Amino acid sequence: MPLSEHEQRMLEQMERALYAEDPKFATALKGSGLRTYTRRRVYQAVAGFLVGIALLMAGMVAQQVWLSVVGFLVMLGCAVLAVTGWRKAPKPGEQQAAGAGPQARRQQRQKRSMMDRIDERWQRRRDEQQGGQ
């Protein structure tokens, strides 16, 4: 659920006050967060992928099909985690606040479902037709 305009302004004021009061603490907090979490998740997924390769190879050497299948499934799951984690990671310099300006509004607009956009267009056309008669 996105923040209202008033809540966004309050959050921005609180951030500015925190920076003014203790800039060192504020920059330390800014460094940790979603980006660090997603980076760590991607690294864990890569390590899991390597474990999956090891399991796959061990299953082939020991001629145990079930071990190879488990290794493949581990590799597949870790690859999915790495790709989704990489896509969710914010770009360097990108603001992490949910409603921090035009860029965040653009992202919110893109995140709306297709049905919501279709409903909105339908409603607009209906209102225009009723207003024109």
Side-chain angles (χ1 to χ4, degrees):
M1 173 184 280
L3 297 174
S4 69
E5 293 291 326
H6 176 68
E7 292 170 333
Q8 290 174 8
R9 279 181 282 174
M10 294 280 292
L11 182 62
E12 289 172 5
Q13 287 176 355
M14 289 168 43
E15 287 177 359
R16 283 193 297 265
L18 178 64
Y19 276 110
E21 216 174 278
D22 194 358
K24 188 176 180 181
F25 178 67
T27 54
L29 285 179
K30 188 175 182 180
S32 65
L34 182 63
R35 185 158 186 227
T36 305
Y37 170 75
T38 52
R39 186 182 303 144
R40 186 178 312 132
R41 181 176 170 188
V42 168
Y43 290 151
Q44 290 171 348
V46 169
F49 188 83
L50 295 175
V51 168
I53 289 175
L55 286 173
L56 182 76
M57 293 299 196
M60 290 173 62
V61 168
Q63 295 181 350
Q64 298 291 325
V65 176
W66 65 271
L67 189 58
S68 296
V69 170
V70 168
F72 176 76
L73 292 176
V74 168
M75 288 171 49
L76 183 65
C78 289
V80 168
L81 281 175
V83 169
T84 57
W86 194 262
R87 286 184 183 168
K88 289 180 184 178
K91 307 291 183 273
E94 187 175 297
Q95 253 182 341
Q96 294 177 5
Q103 184 179 17
R105 287 191 200 108
R106 237 181 281 124
Q107 287 176 348
Q108 287 175 355
R109 207 175 305 136
Q110 291 172 354
K111 287 183 183 178
R112 290 188 305 184
S113 72
M114 184 176 79
M115 288 304 293
D116 289 342
R117 292 191 308 260
I118 290 172
D119 286 342
E120 185 179 316
R121 289 179 191 157
W122 177 261
Q123 194 66 26
R124 251 191 316 211
R125 287 182 187 141
R126 201 170 181 199
D127 291 344
E128 288 172 1
Q129 286 178 352
Q130 287 177 356
Q133 292 179 356

